[in-house]
Amino acid sequence: CVQKAHICVSRSVGTKVVATQAEDSGKDEREEKAGPKSLSAFLVERQEQAERSVLISCHPKTSEKKFLKYLSRHGDIKKHFFYDSYGTYAVVEFSTQDGVRSLLDAAVIPSVSHESAVPFKSRLLSLRTTGAVNQSDQQPGLQCRPQSTVPISELIQTLARQETVDQQIMCLTQAYQLTEENSRLRFLVCSLLKDIAAAYFPECTVKPFGSSVNGFGKLGCDLDMFLDLDDISGRDVQTPKSSLSVEYQMKRATSERAVTQSILSVIGECVDQFGPGCVGVQKILNARCPLVRFSHQPSGFQCDLTVNNRVALKSTELLYLYGLLDRRVRLLVFSVRCWARAHSLTSSIPGAWVTNFSLTVMVLFFLQRRSPPIIPPLDHLRQLAGPADRSVIEGNDCTFVSDFSKIQLQTNTETLEQLLNDFFEFYSTFPFGKMSINIRKGKEQNKPEVAPLHIQNPFETSLNVSKNVNSSQLERFVALCRESAWLLQQRDAPPGRGRRRDPPGLGTGHPAAAVPGGRSQKSKEKEKGTGHANASRVY
Ligand code: GTP
Ligand code: MG
């Protein structure tokens, strides 16, 4: 029996689909590649891979061998993997773009009987099988790479098996960090989005930023991306030497913000109407940073698309650099982010709570305040910058060194356990009432304005990145820091005197206390009584 496979171009079908998050579980096999590659080099490499890749929906029982054999007719396959997200998908990277072109040329237009399809061809495809299926074609199922974190209960058990807090922190980071495959999938989604935007702006790119690329991303985190139109921005344009030259006639708007809004409005509409797999599109054009939010169903990513968000890319680059300077930076940031999420200090819903970005800056500041410091202040990184690093965006000095080898670190041998404990201690006594957290100076500064929590935006220095945080959320943060420091210290306290000494790695005082199932009785009791930790006792 012959089983023929062919690819159908996935098209946007005019039905409403409810957006939900992908949820699956399992262990990740990581191929973490160390080495201080600059963020821009990393972006270029991943973008280039994504351009040579396609995303194919396929039956879970598809024969991998036949699938690859069929695709290989179109070109050499460099890498492929399968994953589950409302169905099984394959990411296939060809060695050259010719492979993609050949496959797309061979793809057929699906016939849709009850609905009408939008005639937009993309690199999101479906594998179709025709002909009788031989019994021997029934496969045991494709090996799928998980794209979401392990269930919390499983993580707690894994953490409990570790001997030291340091091991637990490493284990937690291993379980939560983005995998190589998830990172590739994020770039592929950006590249698919670029194909839509390129209908209007052929020179554009769509770049990921934020936790998808800064080294602090957790599986399942949102996909922040921006439409980069820098090549057609008119910036850095050289005045022609000849006496005659032509220029483009361009429509004008009252401000850059108005241009951004109109671009996002149109692209948002295209994503909504034509983007296969893009559902739940919301245009949030009146935000400080206008954006289009939607779910990309085949990947399960919640996407935020902005335009020309160059300062955000700079802060991403800075976080990326700090994360690579010392391995403890990433490990501590993961622990603190996980702890905060588990205690509902952070949320995926915007509100008066501290954001992951603010928390990360707080960890960086804490590490700058160690003695000796583990990472240098931003001003020091600025002093080390070469001429090529110079960057001024909308009047903000965003210059800092990009060459890692120029950065000399001091010797600090503190353990992760010590740092985690001291992080909680540090912020349980930090004078939030008077002082601002400032990673540019590496020192707290007098607060320039009234806000419960003031964290200076590293590049737009007149802004407070935690402006949204209200006093009750800050109080909860401080109370939980105090309690967590106390819990961690219980591990070292002698038994007796009413204190329970937990076996190493099994106590409430280890990072498992950071996850809901690992919460202390004290915390639960507090929450039961008051609805949240009773922060007023802290002050
Ligand atoms: P998660 O999505 O929560 O995992 O973390 P994230 O770091 O991606 O945060 P978020 O999606 O909220 O924001 C994306 C990026 O935008 C951040 O990494 C920052 O680079 C930038 N960003 C977010 N909030 C602010 C802010 O208040 N000020 C500035 N300057 N940049 C911000
Ligand atoms: Mg994000």
Side-chain angles (χ1 to χ4, degrees):
C1 279
V2 184
Q3 187 185 27
K4 279 188 197 158
H6 70 258
I7 301 286
C8 278
V9 181
S10 238
R11 302 171 129 207
S12 215
V13 177
T15 49
K16 283 267 176 239
V17 190
V18 180
T20 48
Q21 279 292 323
E23 271 183 27
D24 62 332
S25 63
K27 273 202 155 68
D28 299 315
E29 194 184 294
R30 272 148 234 285
E31 300 167 38
E32 196 181 314
K33 286 182 188 156
K37 187 181 280 180
S38 73
L39 180 63
S40 52
F42 172 70
L43 292 181
V44 167
E45 183 187 299
R46 280 270 188 269
Q47 272 167 358
E48 203 264 321
Q49 284 169 348
E51 293 286 296
R52 289 184 276 104
S53 301
V54 291
L55 185 53
I56 307 175
S57 157
C58 44
H59 191 276
K61 296 274 186 197
T62 303
S63 155
E64 183 170 356
K65 207 168 140 198
K66 284 186 177 173
F67 176 71
L68 293 178
K69 193 171 164 203
Y70 169 72
L71 292 175
S72 302
R73 287 195 225 151
H74 297 282
D76 282 343
I77 295 169
K78 204 161 175 194
K79 163 127 187 155
H80 77 282
F81 63 90
F82 298 93
Y83 69 91
D84 263 330
S85 170
Y86 309 105
T88 305
Y89 287 86
V91 172
V92 180
E93 180 197 337
F94 285 96
S95 299
T96 66
Q97 288 211 351
D98 289 344
V100 176
R101 270 191 287 273
S102 165
L103 181 67
L104 293 184
D105 284 346
V108 296
I109 309 289
S111 61
V112 189
S113 51
H114 304 301
E115 294 157 314
S116 298
V118 174
F120 174 74
K121 291 178 173 179
S122 80
R123 280 178 287 143
L124 172 60
L125 307 162
S126 304
L127 182 74
R128 295 273 173 253
T129 51
T130 53
V133 178
N134 191 314
Q135 199 55 37
S136 65
D137 288 337
Q138 291 298 321
Q139 300 295 312
L142 294 166
Q143 279 243 324
C144 287
R145 301 299 186 118
Q147 304 300 321
S148 60
T149 52
V150 294
I152 212 87
S153 52
E154 204 177 297
L155 178 66
I156 291 170
Q157 282 175 15
T158 313
L159 294 185
R161 285 195 292 274
Q162 308 305 311
E163 302 243 310
T164 64
V165 172
D166 283 46
Q167 284 170 0
Q168 289 173 334
I169 291 178
M170 285 186 273
C171 194
L172 182 147
T173 308
Q174 276 283 314
Y176 274 12
Q177 70 192 351
L178 299 184
T179 56
E180 153 95 9
E181 287 80 15
N182 195 270
S183 165
R184 283 171 177 265
L185 185 55
R186 285 169 188 269
F187 278 86
L188 178 50
V189 172
C190 289
S191 173
L192 296 176
L193 253 290
K194 187 226 54 179
D195 289 349
I196 298 176
Y200 285 97
F201 306 107
E203 299 91 342
C204 76
T205 52
V206 173
K207 292 192 171 108
F209 69 98
S211 61
S212 294
V213 286
N214 66 16
F216 303 118
K218 170 177 172 281
L219 281 171
C221 68
D222 67 356
L223 172 55
D224 305 292
M225 46 189 158
F226 75 98
L227 179 63
D228 189 351
L229 300 172
D230 233 20
D231 289 349
I232 35 176
S233 67
R235 270 185 290 271
D236 310 325
V237 174
Q238 309 234 324
T239 322
K241 289 197 178 93
S242 79
S243 58
L244 282 183
S245 62
V246 289
E247 61 180 23
Y248 288 101
Q249 282 201 14
M250 287 176 158
K251 198 139 188 155
R252 282 160 200 266
T254 48
S255 65
E256 196 160 327
R257 180 177 167 82
V259 174
T260 296
Q261 286 169 325
S262 82
I263 292 171
L264 277 176
S265 175
V266 172
I267 300 299
E269 208 54 39
C270 290
V271 171
D272 193 18
Q273 306 288 331
F274 308 151
C278 300
V279 298
V281 179
Q282 287 171 271
K283 294 190 225 168
I284 309 169
L285 303 181
N286 288 323
R288 186 178 81 80
C289 185
L291 73 143
V292 171
R293 178 165 288 168
F294 60 95
S295 286
H296 185 259
Q297 223 169 27
S299 61
F301 296 142
Q302 182 70 36
C303 303
D304 279 352
L305 176 69
T306 53
V307 172
N308 279 352
N309 205 346
R310 290 183 302 142
V311 180
L313 189 63
K314 269 288 162 192
S315 39
T316 300
E317 209 178 315
L318 181 69
L319 264 49
Y320 175 88
L321 183 134
Y322 273 131
L324 286 178
L325 283 184
D326 186 294
R327 60 187 275 284
R328 290 168 294 182
V329 178
R330 279 186 76 235
L331 292 163
L332 202 62
V333 169
F334 266 94
S335 305
V336 171
R337 281 186 172 206
C338 177
W339 165 84
R341 186 72 183 90
H343 287 292
S344 307
L345 283 168
T346 51
S347 165
S348 52
I349 307 159
W353 24 85
V354 67
T355 62
N356 274 330
F357 180 62
S358 296
L359 266 183
T360 307
V361 177
M362 289 171 95
V363 175
L364 297 179
F365 181 72
F366 162 75
L367 294 173
Q368 290 174 339
R369 301 297 294 143
R370 302 310 293 162
S371 182
I374 292 181
I375 50 171
L378 175 54
D379 269 348
H380 179 69
L381 298 179
R382 190 184 169 281
Q383 282 160 17
L384 297 176
D389 297 324
R390 199 178 134 68
S391 165
V392 178
I393 301 170
E394 290 152 26
N396 300 299
D397 187 357
C398 301
T399 306
F400 61 92
V401 64
S402 59
D403 180 354
F404 290 81
S405 66
K406 287 191 190 164
I407 307 168
Q408 294 283 319
L409 298 176
Q410 299 190 46
T411 308
N412 174 312
T413 56
E414 288 172 299
T415 64
L416 290 164
E417 177 174 3
Q418 194 174 347
L419 290 171
L420 186 63
N421 177 64
D422 288 4
F423 172 87
F424 292 136
E425 290 246 339
F426 182 80
Y427 283 114
S428 60
T429 54
F430 189 84
F432 288 109
K434 281 195 222 141
M435 307 307 272
S436 162
I437 290 164
N438 187 316
I439 62 162
R440 182 164 275 283
K441 302 264 173 265
K443 278 194 194 116
E444 52 260 43
Q445 306 284 303
N446 286 327
K447 259 193 198 180
E449 63 190 43
V450 186
L453 176 60
H454 196 281
I455 303 174
Q456 192 199 53
N457 184 324
F459 297 118
E460 293 160 294
T461 52
S462 62
L463 301 179
N464 172 12
V465 302
S466 54
K467 199 176 160 189
N468 61 311
V469 177
N470 67 18
S471 48
S472 75
Q473 287 301 322
L474 178 64
E475 284 166 9
R476 286 197 63 219
F477 173 80
V478 171
L480 281 162
C481 279
R482 185 164 295 188
E483 185 187 8
S484 299
W486 182 86
L487 287 168
L488 270 173
Q489 283 153 20
Q490 297 319 293
R491 297 186 68 251
D492 304 320
R497 288 185 293 142
R499 284 181 174 183
R500 187 161 66 88
R501 186 171 171 84
D502 296 307
L506 278 171
T508 48
H510 68 66
V515 291
R519 265 195 251 184
S520 72
Q521 193 55 34
K522 191 179 161 199
S523 162
K524 283 179 192 156
E525 278 164 11
K526 273 188 185 177
E527 286 179 21
K528 223 174 170 181
T530 59
H532 56 76
N534 189 350
S536 59
R537 282 192 218 159
V538 173
Y539 286 93

